[in-house]
Amino acid sequence: MTNTGTKEDPRVAMWPNYSPPQGLIFSHGKGSELITEEGEAYLDFLSGIAVTGFGHAHPHLVAALTEQASKLWHLSNVFRIPAAEELARRLADNSFADSVFFANSGTEAIEAGIKAMRGYHAAQGSNDRNRIIGFSDSFHGRTIAALAAAGNQSHMQNFVTGDYGFDHVDWENLEQLKNAIGPQTAGIILEPIQGEGGIRPVSQAFLQEVRELCTANGILLMFDEVQCGVGRSGHLFAHEALGIYPDVMALAKGLGGGFPIGVCLTTQVVADAMVVGTHGSTFGGNPLAAAVGNAVLDLVLEDGLLDSVKEKGQFFNQAIEDLIAKHPEKIESVHGLGLMVGIKCKISNANLLVSLRDNKLLVGKSGSNMIRLLPPLNVSQEHVEKAISILDSTLAAM
Ligand SMILES: *Cc1c(COP(=O)(O)O)cnc(C)c1O
């Protein structure tokens, strides 16, 4: 068959696993806006699903990428990569972790964490201690083990056979969790703020109980901060808002600002198990990814950035509360932390998303009939107010 690649039929040679709106093609972006070939600007409050945390074409990120691009793209990990070592050091210095492994995506960072948790117990002489507990409504990525960890039947069916060593309990159900823990339990994995299954921050009280259970039973606690990490919550990592720390953590989305990167961060005792030959990645932490990751960290760690995310988040939250009061038959509640915002709808979230897009505001969907707003962390007050105004007029017209 001939691949015409025309605008009318642009995806002829791609799997039908995505369904982007036909006829809407962006040619470039600037800050919080995406611009079509015809020059129409859309407000991007999805950020490639929490990835372009500093908007599009940020000068500091463009400079880091292009400067590195003219020097050295790739070596693989058969040679030292100083920029990756620097990024690892900075991540460790700014987190609970002592040591990191670089991957290229969220799901790969999750896979690394799963292996590290099992590897740790094996190194302690407990090879049979290999089961990991996950929670309902979780999302950890699309590779087989990440699917098995989340346990979402609609994602797993036809693809995941067997349990791959995972047990599942209901979100925030302490009794179920206690019953699920056994001598084979190696680790527990959860998102401090659930993203795909509905924007749902874990409660401090529950997470405290989980941490204590883990510590008392020698179980490792892994946080999936692939979506909520890297400043999105108004804290560098979302769990810092609760003051409860993991042994293992996965990051990805926001860390590359659009360049693919994933990281698994661990304490030293966990890292010590991952000796030569246990794990690897051809691309992970290559010079381009490391250059951009360092440049993103420069921006996230800049004085005042996290405070401004908190302030914009509070403003946004209050403005949405006002919209709920104005449109109580259409939207019912607001969820999240910082600039990770979910609005639970009474009308269909899919319909609201399309109407907002027609009005040039791009948002995402999430579980529990929510729409998800993930603007760039450096979004301007003017653009936040514009988004609120589009939400208001769109809801009024629906
Ligand atoms: C997106 C996401 C993943 C998977 O990341 P990919 O880069 O798509 O593999 C894992 N966990 C969470 C919480 C995510 O939001």
Side-chain angles (χ1 to χ4, degrees), residues 105-107 139-141 191 196 224 226-227 253:
S105 65
T107 201
F139 182 79
H140 300 303
E191 295 158 83
E196 300 292 320
D224 178 349
V226 168
Q227 186 164 160
K253 292 190 165 91

Side-chain angles (χ1 to χ4, degrees), residues 160-314:
V160 184
T161 52
D163 70 13
Y164 276 81
F166 292 92
D167 299 302
H168 298 99
V169 298
D170 289 341
W171 181 242
E172 296 215 350
N173 189 321
L174 191 62
E175 278 319 301
Q176 278 187 17
L177 180 63
K178 284 179 177 165
N179 290 332
I181 290 174
Q184 271 188 280
T185 305
I188 294 176
I189 180 170
L190 63 89
E191 295 158 83
I193 307 175
Q194 289 188 326
E196 300 292 320
I199 301 292
R200 200 173 287 117
V202 70
S203 75
Q204 154 106 34
F206 180 73
L207 197 57
Q208 186 69 47
E209 296 273 9
V210 175
R211 180 65 267 182
E212 283 167 16
L213 275 172
C214 285
T215 305
N217 295 289
I219 295 166
L220 296 172
L221 179 56
M222 176 169 177
F223 289 165
D224 178 349
E225 293 226 13
V226 168
Q227 186 164 160
C228 63
V230 200
R232 175 75 28 208
S233 67
H235 302 262
L236 185 55
F237 306 114
H239 65 265
E240 292 171 354
L242 305 175
I244 297 165
Y245 297 87
D247 306 288
V248 179
M249 176 169 73
L251 296 178
K253 292 190 165 91
L255 186 60
F259 198 93
I261 186 169
V263 196
C264 180
L265 300 88
T266 67
T267 56
Q268 194 60 50
V269 284
V270 177
D272 286 343
M274 301 308 281
V275 297
V276 170
T278 52
H279 198 44
S281 164
T282 300
F283 295 119
N286 89 358
L288 287 174
V292 179
N294 273 307
V296 169
L297 265 199
D298 294 342
L299 298 177
V300 184
L301 296 175
E302 223 165 59
D303 251 4
L305 185 274
L306 293 172
D307 285 339
S308 83
V309 172
K310 286 192 192 90
E311 283 156 21
K312 279 181 278 198
Q314 277 157 11

